[in-house]
Amino acid sequence: MSAKTEKLLSVLKLQPVVPVLIIEDVAHAVPLARALVAGGLKAIEITMRTAAALDAIKAVANEVEGAVAGAGTILNAKHFEQAVAAGSQFIVSPGSTRGLLDAARDSDIPLLPGAVTSSEIMALKEEGYDVLKFFPAEQAGGANYIKSLSSPFAGTLFCPTGGISLKNAKDYLSLPNIVCVGGSWVAPKELVAAGDWAGITKLAAEACALRG
């Protein structure tokens, strides 16, 4: 196992659920991350889907004790480099491209690339990746699909994201080839907008307890 894979696993194994955040207002980043960390969710994926994303990553990386800030929805080498410069300690992509893999190869920051099909998994394994994102999980076949991958791809671990909630997370977490799941339900838009950080801490604690 490579040093970068070990580094990635050390992050993903911190908790059963990695929060997947879409932060519209950078002012929410620090109190939101603090609320999640207080509930036990230290590794936090901030997606590059908003203009505030890079500033949010920087704020969480610099100001939130105990948080491990990561960047998600990384689609190309430029995104990768921007996210690393902002302080990301892990990078998540829904898929992979040659440019993205080249950027990751030259960096000390680990990449969690996405794969769904057998061919995509095989291609990434050839590149040395044994820990993969599976997105969109529910829409692409769910827990049963990922379970079926465990035999032909023994030793490959997945972090599924997409359509996962408190209700079905245990279906995934019970599988031997799942390292953790990604979920947005721990930080609902309405609670973030209301500044209900105690409510988010409660949701984070419930998610943290999924793997008791």
Side-chain angles (χ1 to χ4, degrees):
M1 185 183 296
S2 71
K4 277 198 282 192
T5 300
E6 288 182 1
K7 188 186 291 188
L8 179 61
L9 282 174
S10 72
V11 171
L12 299 180
K13 288 181 176 179
L14 285 171
Q15 61 217 32
V17 180
V18 174
V20 179
L21 308 181
I22 299 173
I23 296 179
E24 302 281 357
D25 183 347
V26 70
H28 290 149
V30 167
L32 173 55
R34 285 180 176 151
L36 292 166
V37 170
L41 303 183
K42 296 179 180 180
I44 297 168
E45 177 187 335
I46 298 170
T47 62
M48 293 273 282
R49 302 182 195 182
T50 69
L54 288 171
D55 287 337
I57 292 165
K58 193 175 296 183
V60 171
N62 291 336
E63 299 178 40
V64 182
E65 185 176 353
V68 180
T73 321
I74 299 298
L75 303 180
N76 51 53
K78 183 180 180 182
H79 278 175
F80 187 102
E81 290 154 7
Q82 289 174 328
V84 170
S88 298
Q89 295 181 57
F90 65 102
I91 302 290
V92 185
S93 175
S96 66
T97 66
R98 175 51 52 198
L100 180 61
L101 294 177
D102 287 345
R105 187 179 298 109
D106 295 334
S107 175
D108 292 332
I109 303 302
L111 169 67
L112 176 67
V116 171
T117 68
S118 295
S119 294
E120 290 169 345
I121 295 166
M122 289 164 65
L124 284 168
K125 286 180 74 67
E126 283 189 357
E127 295 286 338
Y129 288 93
D130 291 312
V131 185
L132 307 174
K133 176 184 175 82
F134 185 92
F135 172 86
E138 279 291 284
Q139 297 84 346
N144 285 334
Y145 182 101
I146 298 175
K147 183 179 181 180
S148 72
L149 297 173
S150 62
S151 181
F153 299 112
T156 301
L157 295 173
F158 295 92
C159 171
T161 301
I164 299 176
S165 65
L166 188 65
K167 186 177 179 182
N168 63 7
K170 279 196 170 183
D171 296 340
Y172 290 90
L173 292 168
S174 65
L175 301 179
N177 57 343
I178 298 292
V179 62
C180 63
V181 300
S184 58
W185 84 86
V186 293
K189 283 182 182 180
E190 59 272 19
L191 294 191
V192 174
D196 186 355
W197 310 125
I200 287 173
T201 293
K202 182 181 178 184
L203 291 175
E206 287 175 350
C208 209
L210 283 169
R211 187 178 279 155

